[in-house]
Amino acid sequence: MFCLTYVLCLCLGCLRFVTSQWKGGSSREGSALQFIWHPVLMVSGLLVLYGNVMRLTKPTLFTNLPVTCEDRDLPGDSFGQLMRDDPSTIKGAEILMLGEMLTLPQNFGNIFLGETFSSYISVHNDSNQVVKDILVKADLQTSSQRLNLSASNSAVGELKPECCIDDVIHHEVKEIGTHILVCAVSYTTQYGEKLYFRKFFKFQVLKPLDVKTKFYNAETDEVFLEAQIQNITTSPMFMEKVSLEPSMMYNVTELNTVASGDDGESTFGKMSYLQPMDTRQYLYCLKPKPEYAEKAGVIKGVTVIGKLDIVWKTNLGERGRLQTSQLQRMAPGYGDIRLSLEMIPDTVNLEEPFDIICKITNCSERTMDLVLEMCNTRSIHWCGVSGRQLGKLSPGAFLSLPLTLLSSVQGLQSISGLRLTDTFLKRTYEYDDIAQVCVVCPFCFL
Amino acid sequence: MDSGEAPAQRPVTLDITVEDVTKETPDPSEPTTTTTSQTPSRDIVLAQEDSIDLGVEFSTPQEDSSATPSESLMDKLNDQMMESVMISDSPNNSEEDDVAPIDSFLDAGEEEEANAQEPPGGKEGQSEIGQNTTEIKVSVEDKGEGDPEQRVEEDTKEQAEAQEQVTSQVSLQGDAQSPSELKSEEPALKEVKETSSKDEPVPVCTIFSQGTQPKSLVPDGFQPTLIKSPSFSIGSGGGSAEAVTPSKLTAPLVCQPSPSLSKFFTDNGQVNPASDFFDSFTVASSFISVSNPNAEMSPGPNQAPIAPTPERQLSSTSSSLSTPGGPLDSGAPTPSSVFGPAPTESKVKPQPSPPQAVPAPTQAPAPAAQPQPFNQLQAVFSGSDDPFATALSLSEVDRRHDAWLPSEETRKVLISVATQQYNPAYVETNRLTMPGLKFDNLQGDAVKDLMLRFLGEQAAMKRQVLTANSVEQSFTGLKQLIDYVLAVETYHSIIQYEPQQRVQLFSGIGRIFLQIGDIKTAERYFQDVEKACQMKGSQPSHTTCVLMNRAFVYLSQNNYGEAHASFVEVLKIDPKNPVANNNAAVCLLYLGRLKESLGQLEGLVQQDPAFYLHESVLFNLTTMYELESSRSTQKKQALLEAVACREGDSFNTQCLKLV
């Protein structure tokens, strides 16, 4: 007996409801009902219409258990013969377990958010009289709304004995929690009595995925998004698509393929599916679009990054799709003034001047009048005049500043010692460890 | 910061609460002094961390009970945490936290959190290895109560084990618990917990109360709902929709302190089969079953190796429980809750890692039933203090106890084999014991049972089958395809050796992918099939194969109409094809044509019962009967009659759905 199966019992003179709740997967319950009620009703000739509902998940492929032995073993070829006779095996390859025979779903199974709930609704005339004006309505009651799922809302003129009304309903599940499928049947009997009965089927919609995200801010204006997706269902899941739909400010690059090949092999290798409880990490790089890039330095507060769109498939293409809501991130704070490097060589020669270009952005709300001081450190020596005026910088504006310096020590050296002073507020901002540069001795190779 | 989007969107929207945990090293927003220092570093900075919380995903233990999203977020002003994006809805998600934390990113903060989640008793023990030193003492005390010498050594060994466990535990927590780790970690956790709880000189009542309250409600009490499909009866609680790790799952099931527990302890304490425990350390587990009489008594094969912990546990606590007010009362209730989940867990982890999981309740009958060997052992033990020597002597004694005496015949054979030189040993076949099958329970005839029930005794009398008695040997079939990838690789290697089966094998691989849901790859394989077929020229069997594959692809695209058409096309070529017949009928049902579908299947079964009285067909047929009308039982009984005169007792009666 099916999980969603219920006996819609219905009597001529009076309405009788078997009011017991449907319990997921409990087949005994259903058949028990049938067993108890139906003989009684049928004997008394009261039963007219029989309604039943069955959830239509994808059919499954029948697996047979091949039993084989060597020809010289005792049973000889008899096992092989058995398998060849078995209609469910594949001719020519009998020992393949996975046959081609389709079997109907044997239990209600789980239904997950984003999947499609399909159901067969059958109303059958069990009596020997003609029933008229049958109207079958299927509504789905969720915690927030009630949806009408019936394909047609027009009444069927008449239903002869042993005939049935069929309806297959589909609904993409968009809410988590308890759902109740309400089937209502109204009809007129031979004798002109208008009758009506309803039946409720309750099921829970579960959460299929656990998604966690984390943002990493690069020193450049790029943002990296890491998304962890865990399969919290009980069956393997094929992740057909996990993509980030960026907000209008960003362009997105997916970093989930290994770039070596032509099509780019997935970072997950051959494992195209996700076992129950397994987690995958997806990485995305978001770059602000050029038109927004200028402002990127001064973006503050919460910005919308985009949303994840996830499509998965399970058995025989049973499909599910979920989207996260807009992912938001807090823009990193740069303080009043942001100093970033636009250009810096990675390797320089010892005691040889080299150039860097600094970008100074005013992230504050006020205009600044800046003075640049350059303090030498043990290894870094700045060239040029310290304490020079940079002029006024209005909010959001930036200026690029070429600077020259040299290092007196070999090895990886940290560029430090820049001081910016805002003469309006008499505040000094110190910039140390701005970047590293590798200092080599050009003569050492000789 | 709630950014829950309107649910009007087509794809379901995960509701996300975003909490911005801003924790920046320099806080330039308030430059109160004239000199603010700013040190932007060049590499990728984890300057700040957002945490998205759908519902209450990431809650810290404190708000387990009354978790509102905001609260939980407040609690986790933790820089390194991962955000969790979750479907909000279920209000009690908070517990999920245990599983959820992600891991490589978690830092020490996480550890604290995890610690905090443990019930009070477990807190201290978790990260302190030092704790174990006290352990010895406790166990020594235990000695006094029951079985002195053995205990010591058990404990010392256990000690070592436990220590390892604890260490690993700590490290695990340190760098974080990944979901997969979690599973294995769980028992360890418990172990540690339990150790500590025992060690602590905790006031009796505190621990007691801790034990009494169902452990299922303690922090990691995950609802057991998700794993099993028929969870719906659990009702409205949003929690039922929650994710659960399998290991956690077991916890609530068994955790309730059973009323008989104390009784169990009393019975048990004095006559603990230390040997049981002991052997599991000293000897390989397979050996136990031979040498140790007690092992046979233990309820399941898995349990022998895992016995030790409960023993220690039990013995240390048992006496105190039986005489309330005893000095060591403290630990008593905790083991019950801690070990509760064990029976299930032990199935999951059958490896003999002793302190992990313990079937406390099931353990009980064994010691009670067999006090005898124990006394023996005790005698052996009393002399020595060296654990290893004791171990050796113990197993020696056991071996003697169970010594196998070969019969005269066997002895001759053995001697001849032993004395034979250079030649490969040859023993006459009839002298060899052949591997056989043993039936633990009587094999009935399920078909007959059903007939008795539904068709009456008269009908049932007609049923005659061969019994299993004549069968002496059997061969196991192939194992279930556990891993899809492995299966596919296997098929690939088979194709190399069996090129003539290429078509079938490629189709098989394709179907495997269809089963996973990877339709694109499946289609690629099906294309390979078509190529292979073209190369070989058209054989009818290959054409069928191609058509079938096409039908399956249509099916996976939800295009039942086309799928049906393809199956029908197969039937044009091969009208007797049972698979195509059945599959076409199945497609009809999905198209909403129940009567036609039923008619087709019924027709098949009536025309050629030998062929179509197959499990899969009957499953489909009975399913449709149930859907169709109230008279399904009669129709199923008719099928039963048909089955009764054709099928053997291996027939799977479930497919008739009569019971």
Side-chain angles (χ1 to χ4, degrees), chain A residues 104-162:
Chain A
L104 292 169
Q106 295 305 317
N107 51 43
F108 183 83
N110 286 319
I111 181 145
F112 295 99
L113 194 66
E115 290 185 342
T116 302
F117 172 75
S118 305
S119 197
Y120 198 108
I121 298 174
S122 151
V123 175
H124 188 256
N125 187 351
D126 275 5
S127 71
N128 46 15
Q129 53 171 298
V130 177
V131 179
K132 283 176 186 157
D133 300 329
I134 307 107
L135 181 61
V136 182
K137 255 183 75 183
D139 286 359
L140 189 65
Q141 176 74 53
T142 70
S143 52
S144 69
Q145 55 183 330
R146 190 177 181 122
L147 304 148
N148 180 22
L149 301 181
S150 311
S152 72
N153 285 319
S154 53
V156 176
E158 63 169 33
L159 193 63
K160 294 198 173 101
E162 290 301 314

Side-chain angles (χ1 to χ4, degrees), chain A residues 257-265:
Chain A
T257 47
V258 182
S260 59
D262 289 339
D263 347 299
E265 191 193 335

Side-chain angles (χ1 to χ4, degrees), chain B residues 131-152:
Chain B
Q131 205 94 26
N132 288 301
T133 25
T134 45
E135 164 86 74
I136 294 169
K137 264 191 225 155
V138 175
S139 50
V140 176
E141 277 169 31
D142 296 347
K143 273 199 298 182
E145 290 155 31
D147 15 317
E149 278 76 0
Q150 297 164 8
R151 194 36 49 82
V152 179

Side-chain angles (χ1 to χ4, degrees), chain A residues 57 126 176 211 213 329 334, chain B residues 38 50 83 85 89 630-631:
Chain A
T57 50
D126 275 5
I176 211 160
V211 183
T213 58
R329 73 149 190 156
Y334 297 111
Chain B
Q38 242 179 335
D50 302 3
E83 306 159 7
V85 180
D89 204 17
S630 59
R631 298 188 189 123

